[in-house]
Amino acid sequence: MAGLAESGSNPDVDLLYDINGLAKDAPHWFDRIVEYVGEYGLLFAMVLLVLWCWWSVRRRGGEQAAPSVAALVWAPLAAGIAVLVNVPIRGFVERPRPFLDHQGLEVLVSGKTDYSFVSDHATITMAMAAGLFVANRRFGIAGIALALLEGFCRIYMGVHYPTDVVGGFALGTAVALLLSPLASALLTPVLKAVDRSPRAGWLIRARGRSADGQDAMVPGARREAPGTEERDLAA
C-alpha cells in the first residue's frame, strides 16, 4: 500500500497536492482555524449533534424512543470499535504519513509519527454519522456532512492521503451498519428497561410524555391533531 504513494503521477498524490496546496494560498489565520476544526472541532461537533438528536428523540417520546436512543448509544460505540479494528489494519499496511514521502506539502499539524492508513478521524466521524442515520435520517445527513468536511480537512492539513480518508469512511460505515442489527438487539431491551425506570426513564423519554408520544393529559387540556409533530425516522 505504501507503494501507492511513491509516484507523483498517482491520482491519490495529485489530489493530495491539489487540496493541500489550498493551504499555501490561504491566510495564516484560516489555516489555524482549519487545523483546530480538523483536529478537534468536528469531533466535538459530532458529539453535540448526537446529544441534540437524543434531546429531540426523548422530547417526542413514542414507541420508537427506546430503539432510537439505542441507535444513538450505538453511534459512539461503533466509532470506538472501528478505531480498534483500525489498529491491526494500520500495522499491516504500514503506510507512512504523506509529508514523509513527499516534499513541498504544507503540514499544519506537527508531531504525527504513526501510520497514515486509515484515518482515525475519518473513521470516527463517519461511524458516528452512520449510527446517527440509523436513528434519524435528518440528523444522520448532517453527520455525514460533518464527516465529509473532516475528511477534507485531514487532506488539507497534509496529514493524510485521500485514500486514507476514503478508507476511514468505508471502515466507519461498515462497522456502524453491519453491526447495527446486533447492537440494536442487545441495546434496545436494556433501554426499554431504563424507560420503565421511575428514576432513569428521563434518559429515554421527557417527563410527561406517554408511550404514544403525546403529552400527559391535563384536565381541560387540548391534544394536538395527529401528524402535527415531527415524525421520527428511526425505523
Side-chain angles (χ1 to χ4, degrees):
M1 189 74 178
L4 293 177
E6 291 176 0
S7 173
S9 63
N10 187 287
D12 193 24
V13 177
D14 291 342
L15 187 57
L16 165 67
Y17 274 107
D18 288 341
I19 296 177
N20 179 255
L22 299 174
K24 294 183 178 181
D25 300 327
H28 177 76
W29 60 265
F30 183 80
D31 285 349
R32 298 286 73 79
I33 290 176
V34 174
E35 174 188 346
Y36 178 81
V37 168
E39 193 73 6
Y40 309 107
L42 288 171
L43 294 176
F44 183 65
M46 189 67 73
V47 172
L48 291 181
L49 190 63
V50 171
L51 292 175
W52 184 9
C53 186
W54 164 76
W55 186 260
S56 176
V57 166
R58 67 180 290 274
R59 287 189 63 189
R60 289 200 301 271
E63 295 181 356
Q64 291 299 317
S68 295
V69 175
L72 292 174
V73 172
W74 168 238
L77 292 177
I81 292 174
V83 170
L84 290 178
V85 172
N86 188 29
V87 172
I89 294 176
R90 279 193 167 191
F92 176 76
V93 177
E94 295 186 345
R95 189 185 204 184
R97 295 280 181 171
F99 53 80
L100 296 178
D101 287 337
H102 302 282
Q103 302 297 321
L105 291 175
E106 188 76 12
V107 183
L108 302 187
V109 179
S110 60
K112 298 287 185 180
T113 58
D114 55 343
Y115 293 121
S116 184
F117 187 88
V118 298
S119 167
D120 279 339
H121 283 72
T123 300
I124 291 171
T125 51
M126 189 56 78
M128 294 184 71
L132 264 176
F133 191 83
V134 172
N136 184 292
R137 288 187 179 89
R138 180 167 59 91
F139 282 94
I141 291 173
I144 291 172
L146 290 179
L148 293 175
L149 181 58
E150 178 69 90
F152 176 84
C153 288
R154 302 307 288 177
I155 303 170
Y156 183 99
M157 294 159 62
V159 294
H160 280 293
Y161 294 98
T163 48
D164 298 338
V165 170
V166 173
F169 288 163
L171 177 59
T173 301
V175 170
L177 296 186
L178 292 179
L179 297 182
S180 178
L182 176 60
S184 178
L186 294 175
L187 292 172
T188 300
V190 175
L191 292 175
K192 284 184 176 180
V194 173
D195 188 15
R196 293 190 295 268
S197 169
R199 293 187 177 181
W202 64 272
L203 291 169
I204 311 301
R205 197 190 314 277
R207 294 181 185 275
R209 283 288 180 178
S210 61
D212 61 359
Q214 300 293 334
D215 293 331
M217 284 299 289
V218 177
R222 192 173 130 193
R223 283 192 185 274
E224 294 183 4
T228 57
E229 293 188 355
E230 179 186 358
R231 184 182 174 189
D232 188 4
L233 300 177

